[in-house]
Amino acid sequence: MSLVWCLYGKNMQNVDELYQKEIGDKGGYGKYIGNSLNRLAKSEGDTKFSVSVTFHDVKIPEITSNEIKITRTYDIITSASDKVEVLVDGFQNELIQDLTTDGKQDGEEIFIRDFILPIEIAKFFFFDAEKIVSLAEINSPEQRRLLSKAYTEVLGIKKYEDLKDQLESIQDEYRKKSAKPQEKSELSQIIADIDKTLIDIEEIEKSIQKINDEKLEKANASNDIQRKLIQEGNQMTLEQLNKLKEEEGVLNSKLSLLQDDLKKLFDLIPFGLAGETLMEVSTQLTNEKNYRTNKFIQEDVGEKTNKILDDIEQEKKSFPTAIPTEIRNFYENQIKNLVRKHFFADAPELPSNFEALHDFSDAETNELNGLVNNLKHTFKEAFTRLNDGYSRSKNQLDSIRRKIRDAEKDAEDEYISNLRSEKERLDLRVMSIEKDIYDYKEKIGGLKNDIKTFKQRQEELIKKIDDSRKYSAKEEKAQEVIDRLKGFIKSFKEEKKKSLESNILIELNILMHKKGFIKKVAVDINQSGDDVDINLFNSRNEKIDKGSLSMGERQMYASALLKALVDESDIEFPVFIDSPMQKFDRDHAENVIKEFYPNVSKQVVLFPLIHKELTESEFNLLKPKISKAYLIDNISMDASEFVESVPDQLIKTYNELYAD
């Protein structure tokens, strides 16, 4: 926790859901981090604490350095937030100061994010082995979004997509300067509208975060009262209550996912109602696509034929005898026929009366045809399945909530009555906040649709502007770079997809004791690069439901995924692992020790509890790979120190320190 805090401070909640939960349970970041002050120091009147991390052999562009030291400090009395200092070879660096541009974030925070370790992928380098499965589990739309964001960041896709977006923004500026006055004005207004709408979305998201914090606070208080009522009722143990609460949380997440999936299907209903018209459009678009392809082939036939005939005309100049017109025409026609026969035999004849009605690209045509196929083949089945799943989960959730309510004490003395009144007040506020959050999210959805409409009009205007004048040299160069970058991104995604698939499969075959159980790994990266899905297939090429995997198998999948992602990141950063052998099953423990931990990164730091989380036999398997070993020795109730040990002597030293 201290390492993560040193790097990211109050943003540590974005590294792992565990930190987010702990901060919420404590009532906010200030209360959470304030508890980190050493008890002895606090009793002596100290209010400050800090954590420092020193990195060696860090390669930073435009900076020559041997050492980078990051120190984060917090004062429980005076600090509204923590302070961070970054020293390069013992001094502050101008680059760090230059990174503070908009006043929203300190240059030190930006430096850590951009040059040390992006926060989006930190979870792959700081993790608790007991919770490793969470790296591969998706229980809510937010989890899928965050994991996809982390995947694209660690795979390096995001930086190229960001670069393309920046180039397109620069190109827009060029276009605005060279556009017609009316078009320029409208385009500028649309860009301004998009920017304003994005700001509105950001403000609403801030509001959601603010009231969500209040919701967590009120929900925790309500749960505390509920525990008191349950205890007074003596019909249910706290253990039983916690188990039901856990089941309630899982069902809530499942319902959220089902609601999102149902909403996507609801959005398709208007297209379904216009089924016949939609089919006609789809057929027309397919015909137009085929026509464009065939027309290109026909043009290619003519182009190659003309080149051959031009070459012959050049050769005829050196021919001593005149060639009769009839003979020349005969051979020219034969050449045309032979070019078609031997090189374009499959090229169909173009219809003479074909009329193109739409201006769809091939990608847009494929997208619409995909929508039509979805409506034709899977819509009804998917809707029925999702609706049934939602009904079942809702009934299960209602049943759990009834059980909890029934276990509460029925007596209506003043104390119980006051508790019930306070709980009812808190629950009503939670429900009110949930409605506000739902309304806010609906508003965000509407604003995102507005942005989509704006961007469609923006594309139309850009096309009109492009048609009205010639690109400037800068625009042409920008377009050239953008086109090349798009091609590179496409091939880069494909390369990363194949590489990640291969690496995950290799690691699974190394770690899993059931050899050959998983035969194929399929990684799907969408066109925009912001959604990544990973699927597993068995020897029969059947998709494996990850939920059906045993806990040990899920641990191995998550471990293989983590190792593959770290390898793909090309980021040379240590991997820190807490509770390294906690809950790993015996079938896989040896593989984890011998294959996973020593190879997951160039430098790996383990934090085990000797004998409890790492046995002596497990340590002996790991020992050949250990460079340095330390023990934390509690020298008093309020203080501890690091004791360095020779790896061979670690267990012995531990036993001597903590011998009964």
Side-chain angles (χ1 to χ4, degrees), residues 545-601:
D545 180 7
K546 297 190 194 76
S548 68
L549 298 174
S550 69
M551 179 56 68
E553 289 166 344
R554 275 184 274 176
Q555 287 173 329
M556 293 306 100
Y557 166 61
S559 300
L561 174 63
L562 186 144
K563 173 65 166 61
L565 288 168
V566 171
D567 287 345
E568 290 294 330
S569 73
D570 291 327
I571 295 175
E572 293 187 5
F573 194 88
V575 170
F576 299 87
I577 305 170
D578 197 12
S579 306
M581 297 307 300
Q582 186 75 359
K583 293 188 178 180
F584 275 114
D585 60 47
R586 292 182 180 178
D587 290 331
H588 299 109
E590 185 172 334
N591 284 345
V592 170
I593 293 173
K594 293 172 67 175
E595 303 293 343
F596 177 62
Y597 287 143
N599 302 308
V600 67
S601 181

Side-chain angles (χ1 to χ4, degrees), residues 18-62:
L18 175 65
Y19 297 128
Q20 188 178 42
K21 183 179 184 303
E22 288 179 347
I23 290 172
D25 290 344
K26 292 293 183 181
Y29 175 74
K31 292 182 180 179
Y32 170 76
I33 203 64
N35 291 329
S36 298
L37 180 64
N38 180 271
R39 292 190 300 270
L40 180 60
K42 189 174 182 179
S43 68
E44 294 175 350
D46 290 336
T47 61
K48 287 185 181 180
F49 62 88
S50 65
V51 175
S52 295
V53 181
T54 301
F55 297 93
H56 297 275
D57 301 324
V58 182
K59 297 178 182 178
I60 306 295
E62 301 179 6

Side-chain angles (χ1 to χ4, degrees), residues 248 251-252 254-256 258-259 386-402 405:
E248 183 183 23
L251 285 168
N252 275 324
K254 187 176 180 179
L255 283 171
S256 179
L258 289 168
Q259 282 178 322
L386 289 172
N387 191 52
D388 291 344
Y390 182 87
S391 298
R392 284 195 303 272
S393 299
K394 187 69 168 62
N395 290 336
Q396 291 172 359
L397 185 62
D398 290 340
S399 174
I400 287 173
R401 287 173 174 172
R402 271 196 311 273
R405 284 196 304 270

Side-chain angles (χ1 to χ4, degrees), residues 192-314:
D193 289 340
I194 292 173
D195 290 339
K196 182 182 180 301
T197 307
L198 288 171
I199 292 171
D200 290 342
I201 290 174
E202 185 177 352
E203 290 300 317
I204 295 173
E205 287 176 341
K206 288 180 181 177
S207 298
I208 291 175
Q209 181 62 48
K210 184 178 179 180
I211 64 174
N212 196 54
D213 290 341
E214 184 188 351
K215 175 193 166 184
L216 287 173
E217 180 187 339
K218 296 291 191 292
N220 287 333
S222 176
N223 288 333
D224 288 340
I225 293 175
Q226 189 170 58
R227 290 188 185 94
K228 292 178 182 178
L229 291 170
I230 295 287
Q231 287 177 317
E232 293 289 335
N234 290 321
Q235 296 183 31
M236 183 184 292
T237 66
L238 287 180
E239 184 179 354
Q240 290 171 324
L241 175 63
N242 290 335
K243 186 177 179 181
L244 288 174
K245 283 289 187 181
E246 185 179 340
E247 292 175 2
E248 183 183 23
V250 171
L251 285 168
N252 275 324
S253 296
K254 187 176 180 179
L255 283 171
S256 179
L257 280 171
L258 289 168
Q259 282 178 322
D260 281 343
D261 290 338
L262 282 169
K263 188 176 180 181
K264 292 176 183 176
L265 291 182
F266 287 148
D267 292 338
L268 297 178
I269 289 176
F271 295 100
L273 295 174
E276 186 173 344
T277 303
L278 193 64
M279 286 295 297
E280 292 175 359
V281 173
S282 176
T283 302
Q284 175 68 18
L285 288 173
T286 300
N287 291 337
E288 290 181 10
K289 179 183 177 183
N290 294 335
Y291 181 83
R292 287 194 301 272
T293 302
N294 296 336
K295 186 178 179 183
F296 174 80
I297 293 173
Q298 295 288 355
E299 290 171 351
D300 205 12
V301 173
E303 183 183 348
K304 284 183 168 56
T305 301
N306 290 333
K307 284 183 177 179
I308 293 172
L309 293 176
D310 288 341
D311 289 342
I312 290 174
E313 283 295 325
Q314 292 297 321

Side-chain angles (χ1 to χ4, degrees), residues 316-565:
K316 277 167 52 180
K317 293 178 181 179
S318 61
F319 195 72
T321 306
I323 300 174
T325 303
E326 296 83 7
I327 295 175
R328 184 186 68 192
N329 291 340
F330 170 79
Y331 282 108
E332 285 183 357
N333 289 329
Q334 288 299 311
I335 288 169
K336 291 179 182 179
N337 294 332
L338 290 171
V339 167
R340 174 179 288 278
K341 177 182 178 181
H342 293 292
F343 298 100
F344 300 97
D346 296 329
E349 292 291 337
L350 294 175
S352 58
N353 60 345
F354 185 82
E355 183 182 1
L357 304 176
H358 309 284
D359 189 23
F360 276 42
S361 67
D362 288 354
E364 290 169 335
T365 299
N366 292 336
E367 186 176 353
L368 183 75
N369 288 338
L371 172 62
V372 171
N373 288 330
N374 183 24
L375 290 171
K376 284 173 60 178
H377 302 295
T378 62
F379 178 84
K380 183 178 180 181
E381 179 186 349
F383 183 85
T384 302
R385 176 174 50 80
L386 289 172
N387 191 52
D388 291 344
Y390 182 87
S391 298
R392 284 195 303 272
S393 299
K394 187 69 168 62
N395 290 336
Q396 291 172 359
L397 185 62
D398 290 340
S399 174
I400 287 173
R401 287 173 174 172
R402 271 196 311 273
K403 287 180 183 178
I404 294 174
R405 284 196 304 270
D406 292 342
E408 296 177 2
K409 183 172 178 63
D410 291 326
E412 292 295 331
D413 58 49
E414 186 176 355
Y415 172 70
I416 296 298
S417 180
N418 289 339
L419 285 178
R420 288 187 181 278
S421 297
E422 178 62 11
K423 185 177 184 300
E424 183 178 354
R425 185 187 69 80
L426 292 167
D427 290 343
L428 286 172
R429 180 55 185 155
V430 169
M431 290 173 62
S432 174
I433 292 172
E434 286 177 343
K435 184 181 183 303
D436 289 341
I437 290 174
Y438 177 84
D439 291 340
Y440 276 139
K441 287 183 176 180
E442 286 292 301
K443 192 172 182 179
I444 288 175
L447 291 172
K448 286 183 176 180
N449 285 333
D450 290 344
I451 289 176
K452 188 176 180 180
T453 302
F454 286 142
K455 287 191 172 182
Q456 286 174 344
R457 179 56 182 161
Q458 184 185 26
E459 289 296 323
E460 293 172 3
L461 281 171
I462 289 171
K463 191 174 185 302
K464 288 182 180 178
I465 294 169
D466 290 345
D467 293 338
S468 70
R469 47 99 182 131
K470 216 173 176 182
Y471 276 168
S472 68
K474 288 184 178 179
E475 280 184 293
E476 288 179 349
K477 192 64 179 176
Q479 187 63 53
E480 180 187 338
V481 174
I482 289 170
D483 290 341
R484 291 175 64 184
L485 188 56
K486 285 181 177 178
F488 170 79
I489 290 173
K490 183 179 180 181
S491 60
F492 183 76
K493 286 179 185 176
E494 187 62 27
E495 179 187 326
K496 285 294 181 181
K497 166 182 155 47
K498 291 180 180 178
S499 180
L500 187 59
E501 288 172 346
S502 175
N503 283 343
I504 294 175
L505 186 59
I506 289 171
E507 294 300 324
L508 283 170
N509 287 331
I510 292 173
L511 295 175
M512 279 196 169
H513 73 280
K514 284 196 286 185
K515 304 302 180 184
F517 171 51
I518 296 173
K519 282 291 186 180
K520 187 176 79 173
V521 177
V523 176
D524 181 41
I525 304 173
N526 72 346
Q527 187 174 357
S528 60
D530 60 3
D531 188 79
V532 179
D533 196 17
I534 301 171
N535 293 303
L536 309 177
F537 295 84
N538 60 24
S539 57
R540 297 182 298 279
N541 204 33
E542 298 168 338
K543 183 178 175 181
I544 300 172
D545 180 7
K546 297 190 194 76
S548 68
L549 298 174
S550 69
M551 179 56 68
E553 289 166 344
R554 275 184 274 176
Q555 287 173 329
M556 293 306 100
Y557 166 61
S559 300
L561 174 63
L562 186 144
K563 173 65 166 61
L565 288 168

